[in-house]
Amino acid sequence: MQSLFAKTTMGVATLVAAALMTLTTSSAAETIVRFPSAGQEIVGTLETTETATNAPIILMLHGFTGSRDELHVKDTEEGVFSRMARQFAERGFNSLRIDFRGSGDSAGDWADTTFSSQIADAASAIDWIKSQDEFMDSRVVVLGWSQGGLAAAHAVQENELVDAVVLLAPVTHPLMTYSGLLGLDKVKAALEEPADTPITAQLPWGAETTLKAAFYQEMVRTFPVAAISGYPGPLLVVMGDRDQVVAPQPYAGEAWMNYHHGDEKLILLDTDHVWSAPEGPEVIDQQLVPEITAWIGNALATD
């Protein structure tokens, strides 16, 4: 594993991080929760640790075409996010992973998904967390993967309820990424259509997806690295150096460092956009989760 481009060091806070990392492994309780966003129901899984009072809570935002448990991890019965959430709990962190509207079990139609709708859902989730008595005094970390990273970057700007942000392979240049996923011809066609026009495209792995032209049109006017400049708190960005979706690396990762102002760290791992999940859990277990939890411990200790 490679840890690169740390712009700041955390000093004595490493002692606090070490304490968090050595918490005794315990069982975690999972609860299905529901709350509104823009008049529709969001469904999420709340995973709570039994090891600490007022433990930090991590809001987990899934990627494009994903859902709250995320991509299946080979040789396990878990998805990337459900596995990470369990390991977060074992290390003393609560978590809430949600389905964006139109995805998973949440209300709405996938075709109506836009960046704006997912940003609104992320903001609603942050508000819901802080409205709960058990989390009123908890520190809030927002973690977004891929398109979830784009949504996270916008949801946290100027949001005083957020204490730290973790972006995993976040979409950096939307027009570049989605032109590759959906086809430049589809993007060009959608820009000429009314916003509610359905556009069907074939994804590189063979599946088809139908989204309205509004999704495509937001690609041109959405700039997540600009949004992160409005967030002054601690920021961790983790990229895979073999990522072909958010590329090229390390340049896409460095863009976040250029626009964020505050404590920050960029980590480049020897993996792909999906943390090698189709090959097994090793990258997630041995690199991704340990890096994230150690950094959060440091960030919250110094914030």
Side-chain angles (χ1 to χ4, degrees), residues 2-297:
Q2 293 176 292
S3 295
L4 304 176
F5 309 109
K7 188 174 282 189
T8 62
T9 57
M10 301 300 179
V12 296
T14 54
L15 295 174
V16 177
L20 285 170
M21 291 295 290
T22 55
L23 287 170
T24 302
T25 299
S26 69
S27 60
E30 280 196 349
T31 306
I32 301 301
V33 301
R34 304 171 190 274
F35 56 89
S37 179
Q40 293 181 302
E41 184 178 73
I42 295 287
V43 177
T45 301
L46 178 67
E47 190 140 356
T48 51
T49 178
E50 298 177 357
T51 60
T53 302
N54 296 329
I57 180 166
I58 304 171
L59 172 62
M60 305 174 71
L61 306 174
H62 67 75
F64 181 67
T65 73
S67 58
R68 68 185 186 272
D69 286 349
E70 266 296 356
L71 181 70
H72 177 254
V73 181
K74 184 183 178 183
D75 298 328
T76 78
E77 296 181 357
E78 297 172 303
V80 173
F81 267 13
S82 55
R83 188 174 186 85
M84 290 175 65
R86 174 177 57 78
Q87 294 185 24
F88 288 156
E90 291 170 354
R91 288 164 167 82
F93 298 98
N94 301 311
S95 67
L96 171 65
R97 56 189 191 270
I98 66 167
D99 288 328
F100 288 117
R101 280 177 291 150
S103 297
D105 296 322
S106 290
D109 296 324
W110 165 248
D112 292 323
T113 296
T114 61
F115 298 152
S116 295
S117 70
Q118 294 195 344
I119 293 164
D121 294 347
S124 295
I126 296 168
D127 290 341
W128 181 85
I129 288 170
K130 295 305 289 186
S131 73
Q132 304 304 297
D133 290 344
E134 62 185 307
F135 302 125
M136 287 182 64
D137 297 322
S138 297
R139 313 296 289 281
V140 176
V141 180
V142 178
L143 179 153
W145 178 15
S146 195
Q147 186 169 306
L150 179 154
H154 286 81
V156 303
Q157 60 179 331
E158 300 180 4
N159 192 324
E160 297 180 353
L161 301 178
V162 176
D163 298 291
V165 174
V166 178
L167 303 180
L168 306 181
V171 171
T172 306
H173 305 289
L175 186 59
M176 179 184 296
T177 292
Y178 293 100
S179 291
L181 287 176
L182 301 169
L184 184 58
D185 58 332
K186 297 291 185 179
V187 175
K188 289 180 176 178
L191 297 181
E192 302 298 325
E193 297 289 343
D196 62 353
T197 303
I199 307 288
T200 299
Q202 186 172 51
L203 298 168
W205 49 92
E208 285 192 343
T209 189
T210 300
L211 290 159
K212 292 181 179 176
F215 180 91
Y216 293 79
Q217 292 164 7
E218 286 197 357
M219 295 178 200
V220 186
R221 54 177 183 257
T222 302
F223 300 95
V225 292
I228 207 64
S229 68
Y231 164 72
L235 172 68
L236 173 66
V237 177
V238 186
M239 295 288 196
D241 64 2
R242 292 184 276 114
D243 193 336
Q244 299 299 309
V245 177
V246 177
Q249 294 298 346
Y251 305 102
E254 291 171 343
W256 295 89
M257 303 296 100
N258 289 342
Y259 285 86
H260 174 254
H261 307 289
D263 291 345
E264 60 192 39
K265 186 175 183 180
L266 170 62
I267 295 174
L268 192 67
L269 300 180
D270 181 20
T271 186
D272 53 21
H273 188 69
V274 297
W275 317 112
S276 303
E279 301 166 22
E282 288 76 18
V283 170
I284 297 165
D285 295 355
Q286 299 171 21
Q287 300 183 58
L288 191 60
V289 170
E291 288 279 12
I292 292 169
T293 52
W295 180 86
I296 291 174

